[in-house]
Amino acid sequence: MRLIKQNINRDGSGSVTLYPEDPEDMWYAYNLIRPNDLLRASALRRITTESSTGSTSSVRLHIPLLIRVRSTSYDAQASQLHVSGQIAEETQYAKTGQYHTLDLELQRNFSLEKGEGWDSVSKEVVREACDVKRGAGAWAVVMQEGLANVAVLTGERTVLRQRVEVAVPRKRGGKEGGHDKGMEKFFQTLLDTLLRQIDLSESIPILLASPGFTAAAFQKFIIDTAIRTGNKPLKAQKSNFLVVHSSSGHLHALNEVLQSPEVLARLKDTRYSRETKLMDDFMTLLRKDDGRAWYGPKEVEQAVEKGAVGRGGGVLLISNALFRSQDVDVRRRWVRLVDKVRDVEGGEVRVLSSEHESGKRLEGLGGIAAILTFPLEDLDNEQGDEGGPDDIRNGERST
């Protein structure tokens, strides 16, 4: 994402103009645009005109529209973002109050003014989106004979880029000719697909995962092909390949692959690895049951109020899904909590992506958790303003 213009005042008013350059930018836009925001972007509309003789003609034109956002719809597979709302500024072709859906496009600017003002979380999303160091953290190919899923791991999510399927005959009666030819065709198709996706000028990990020896055989095929064809950039990627075991070639097997120590060691400098380690540390403390790990909205807010999530090791873990709430008051609640931990208490705040495995684990705990600087007991038994007798806190039903 490229920042074209930023005009944000101290009171949170103002706007930014952004230029999405790759599909990942649409994910950031989805986490940034909220109901009641003002969004200005290019819209493709069919314009019908009538001549003096009564004949009509229509053309499709790109025209700028300003809408008051009502809802957003994100297609993760296609990385497409659709934003619906009412037109807030009349134009030659559109009247105020009409409903319209804007399809944000790559390589086309859009401008955004926050309906409730620019808070710290929204500004952080813009900063991350426009970070020039942001990009693919690793590539992964999860495979088995005849099937492979090519995915890219970014700072925010895991994106399936291509699924490859090639019919491979089974070995019959000790004859392997048909099977070997099928595997060679499968490997060649997969390599061609991979080369269309990755940038060989970059040096990032490429995980090859499979049951048995399929991944190792594919790595050998890649290197042999690079030597045979004289493809030096591909040959230079040899040190970036990491062959690991997976239970199958389906995409869901990638989750177990990413938990393996050898993969975590290779990805140690990526955001994914850091967040995975934080969740592992939290779960370790939770199992110890020593009062230093709590999860759930009420419990975490109480811990923050008691000053237990501050300097000296306090960490607030919060899912970015909480900031996508349609309720403005709910969003404000979590923004205030983030600001208090980071700016007042001096603790660490980690906003985990709901599209990463660590974020999904956190969502299973209610979307919010904390590692405390000192132990607190019985937070789940304290009665606050929220919660009732049917609330489930930290795995137990309160009574």
Side-chain angles (χ1 to χ4, degrees):
M1 190 90 77
R2 192 187 310 168
L3 180 62
I4 303 300
K5 184 179 180 181
Q6 177 173 302
N7 181 26
I8 299 177
N9 303 313
R10 289 188 175 182
D11 61 1
S13 62
S15 64
V16 298
T17 300
L18 299 167
Y19 180 81
E21 298 178 291
D22 60 63
E24 181 72 3
D25 292 336
M26 292 303 176
W27 169 251
Y28 282 96
Y30 172 57
N31 283 281
L32 185 62
I33 300 171
R34 302 263 53 85
N36 206 40
D37 291 352
L38 284 172
L39 174 67
R40 186 184 298 276
S42 177
L44 189 61
R45 303 200 83 185
R46 183 179 296 277
I47 308 301
T48 302
T49 57
E50 184 176 346
S51 67
S52 57
T53 61
S55 61
T56 60
S57 62
S58 63
V59 293
R60 296 177 70 86
L61 296 176
H62 276 283
I63 59 174
L65 283 182
L66 179 70
I67 67 169
R68 176 74 67 178
V69 178
R70 291 290 177 265
S71 64
T72 58
S73 174
Y74 179 69
D75 183 340
Q77 192 65 41
S79 294
Q80 294 179 342
L81 179 59
H82 314 289
V83 185
S84 300
Q86 289 180 282
I87 295 174
E89 183 180 81
E90 189 167 335
T91 70
Q92 178 183 354
Y93 304 109
K95 294 182 179 180
T96 303
Q98 290 181 330
Y99 281 88
H100 187 83
T101 298
L102 291 173
D103 298 324
L104 295 191
E105 301 177 60
L106 298 179
Q107 282 78 51
R108 284 188 181 274
N109 291 355
F110 70 87
S111 297
L112 185 68
E113 182 178 338
K114 302 296 292 180
E116 305 300 327
W118 288 89
D119 55 46
S120 61
V121 173
S122 296
K123 287 187 279 190
E124 181 66 15
V125 172
V126 173
R127 188 196 66 77
E128 287 187 8
C130 298
D131 186 352
V132 295
K133 296 181 181 179
R134 176 180 65 84
W139 285 89
V141 181
V142 188
M143 59 194 302
Q144 61 190 46
E145 291 190 357
L147 171 67
N149 290 279
V150 180
V152 59
L153 280 68
T154 71
E156 286 290 317
R157 59 197 184 114
T158 300
V159 184
L160 175 64
R161 283 293 179 84
Q162 192 73 49
R163 181 182 174 91
V164 176
E165 290 186 84
V166 174
V168 177
R170 293 184 178 182
K171 300 177 183 179
R172 296 182 183 276
K175 297 181 179 180
E176 301 183 2
H179 176 268
D180 290 346
K181 289 181 179 178
M183 287 300 295
E184 184 176 354
K185 180 181 178 182
F186 170 56
F187 284 161
Q188 187 61 59
T189 303
L190 180 54
L191 178 56
D192 292 342
T193 301
L194 192 60
L195 291 178
R196 286 195 297 268
Q197 298 289 341
I198 66 175
D199 183 354
L200 293 179
S201 65
E202 295 181 341
S203 180
I204 60 175
I206 303 173
L207 311 179
L208 305 178
S210 75
F213 302 100
T214 306
F218 180 53
Q219 181 190 31
K220 183 177 184 302
F221 179 85
I222 293 173
I223 301 305
D224 289 347
T225 301
I227 295 173
R228 177 171 51 82
T229 60
N231 190 332
K232 292 182 179 179
L234 179 59
K235 185 180 178 182
Q237 292 287 333
K238 182 178 180 179
S239 61
N240 290 324
F241 289 111
L242 176 62
V243 176
V244 292
H245 173 79
S246 67
S247 59
S248 75
H250 296 282
L251 188 61
H252 63 77
L254 182 58
N255 293 334
E256 67 188 61
V257 170
L258 295 175
Q259 299 301 315
S260 67
E262 53 190 330
V263 171
L264 290 175
R266 179 67 71 92
L267 303 182
K268 64 181 179 180
D269 295 327
T270 66
R271 174 177 172 178
Y272 175 87
S273 180
R274 292 192 295 270
E275 293 180 353
T276 297
K277 185 178 185 304
L278 275 174
M279 280 303 301
D280 288 344
D281 291 345
F282 172 82
M283 296 305 295
T284 299
L285 288 172
L286 191 64
R287 285 190 291 270
K288 287 182 178 179
D289 195 23
D290 63 355
R292 286 195 56 215
W294 287 92
Y295 65 87
K298 188 183 75 171
E299 288 78 10
V300 172
E301 286 178 316
Q302 288 177 355
V304 172
E305 286 300 317
K306 294 175 184 291
V309 192
R311 293 178 181 85
V315 183
L316 174 66
L317 302 169
I318 186 166
S319 170
N320 61 7
L322 295 181
F323 299 109
R324 293 199 295 269
S325 172
Q326 302 290 326
D327 190 324
V328 173
D329 290 335
V330 170
R331 177 183 168 84
R332 285 176 176 170
R333 172 187 180 184
W334 303 126
V335 171
R336 284 196 299 267
L337 191 68
V338 166
D339 290 344
K340 182 175 178 62
V341 171
R342 185 164 49 200
D343 301 333
V344 179
E345 301 296 334
E348 181 181 357
V349 175
R350 288 286 183 156
V351 180
L352 272 56
S353 171
S354 59
E355 292 292 304
H356 268 175
E357 182 62 21
S358 56
K360 291 176 181 176
R361 291 166 68 189
L362 182 61
E363 285 196 321
L365 301 174
I368 186 167
I371 297 174
L372 313 189
T373 54
F374 54 84
L376 292 174
E377 302 295 338
D378 300 324
L379 291 181
D380 49 353
N381 292 328
E382 296 184 19
Q383 294 298 317
D385 294 333
E386 299 185 46
D390 294 327
D391 281 352
I392 296 176
R393 303 299 184 190
N394 287 353
E396 299 180 357
R397 186 175 294 277
S398 58
T399 58

